[in-house]
Amino acid sequence: MRMSDTPVTVAIDCSIATLTLNRPAAGNTVNQALADALLDAAILCDNDPAIRCVILTGNGKLFCGGGNISAFDAAGDQVPAFLSRLAGTLHMAVSRLLRMQKPLLVAVNGPAAGAGLSLAISGDVVIAAQSAHFIAAYGSVGLTPDGGMSWLLPRHVGLRRAQEIILTNRKVTADEAAAIGMVTRTVADDDFAAEVAKTARMLADGPTGAIAGARALLLESASSPLEAQLERETRSIAAAGGSGECREGVAAFLGRRKPDFSGDA
């Protein structure tokens, strides 16, 4: 398969892995091949200790246009089985990306709809180009959300806003998305690539072990009783305290220098 035919490309440079949704002629819509490739890429990133930060972005004018509706039509009366496999594969990829032991930076290079919106808001840091916009889109084709939208969106923007965005299918601009917490920040299109690269480098140079621990705590926080979460925090900070990262961080603080977390944690 030529690189141009690969539905998700993976490029690794200086400890940063860039996963690019690569069906630009189809708006990077999610078909089974793309879902399979995204899962493979997520597993690779999860298991490679040399990777310290993962970027997820899209090739072309769109970040991701959601599901491939023409494939739904082609499935005929087998749509339930078709969607079960497609969503199930996508969800395994999302779970890996959310639970891997390194930060996820989503670079929303253009419009995101349906499952594309779900992927767009899955990052620890989400940078959107000014030209991007977001729409849930499921209701317009008689479907319900997938890709984690019903879990992620209320956590980011609150239940009331999530209800409106999902049930009315209204378009959310990049600026509004930043204002309501759907994305971390919006940057001008001309500055987008440089801002993504700078942020990825900052994350990759950070204490990835501590970041992994914080990611895990945040995933548990919404459904965890206070005392259970306090116990998790106790165990997590105690474990982190015995790491090389902590020793380096403390030494750098006391020595009034910038810490170097590139060594073993």
Side-chain angles (χ1 to χ4, degrees):
M1 179 180 289
R2 297 177 302 169
M3 184 64 70
S4 60
D5 296 327
T6 304
V8 177
T9 64
V10 180
I12 302 173
D13 182 39
C14 297
S15 73
I16 298 170
T18 300
L19 314 185
T20 304
L21 307 179
N22 188 41
R23 300 184 68 231
N28 297 324
T29 50
V30 180
N31 61 6
Q32 190 61 49
L34 186 145
D36 289 339
L38 186 60
L39 175 57
D40 289 343
I43 291 172
L44 183 154
C45 291
D46 189 17
N47 289 313
D48 187 344
I51 295 173
R52 296 175 60 86
C53 177
V54 178
I55 301 171
L56 176 64
T57 192
N59 179 17
K61 294 181 178 180
L62 274 69
F63 172 73
C64 176
N68 186 347
I69 304 302
S70 60
F72 299 176
D73 181 61
D77 59 5
Q78 296 302 307
V79 166
F82 171 86
L83 286 175
S84 181
R85 180 167 181 250
L86 179 62
T89 307
L90 178 65
H91 291 172
M92 287 190 286
V94 169
S95 179
R96 283 275 183 162
L97 292 171
L98 288 174
R99 294 190 179 279
M100 64 185 177
Q101 300 291 297
K102 55 210 71 180
L104 174 64
L105 167 60
V106 180
V108 188
N109 56 293
L117 192 161
S118 300
L119 291 173
I121 63 176
S122 65
D124 301 296
V125 177
V126 180
I127 300 175
Q130 195 77 48
S131 58
H133 64 255
F134 305 84
I135 185 167
Y138 291 96
S140 62
V141 289
L143 292 173
T144 55
D146 68 345
M149 185 185 297
S150 63
W151 190 85
L152 289 163
L153 192 58
R155 289 168 68 91
H156 294 319
V157 306
L159 177 60
R160 187 60 71 212
R161 282 199 178 103
Q163 288 170 319
E164 182 200 13
I165 291 167
I166 292 173
L167 300 183
T168 70
N169 290 319
R170 76 171 181 86
K171 182 168 72 173
V172 179
T173 66
D175 284 340
E176 183 187 358
I180 66 177
M182 185 184 292
V183 305
T184 308
R185 59 183 174 273
T186 300
V187 299
D189 287 26
D190 289 346
D191 300 327
F192 179 70
E195 182 67 14
V196 169
K198 182 180 74 172
T199 304
R201 187 71 266 157
M202 179 270 294
L203 290 169
D205 289 343
T208 53
I211 289 171
R215 293 184 96 222
L217 287 169
L218 288 167
L219 281 177
E220 299 288 348
S221 64
S223 58
S224 177
L226 172 61
E227 285 72 19
Q229 191 69 6
L230 290 171
E231 176 63 16
R232 289 191 182 97
E233 287 188 351
T234 298
R235 291 179 180 275
S236 182
I237 197 171
S243 70
E245 283 183 351
C246 182
R247 288 190 293 274
E248 167 61 14
V250 170
F253 178 84
L254 296 176
R256 297 184 179 182
R257 61 174 174 81
K258 183 179 179 179
D260 178 6
F261 293 117
S262 60
D264 293 336

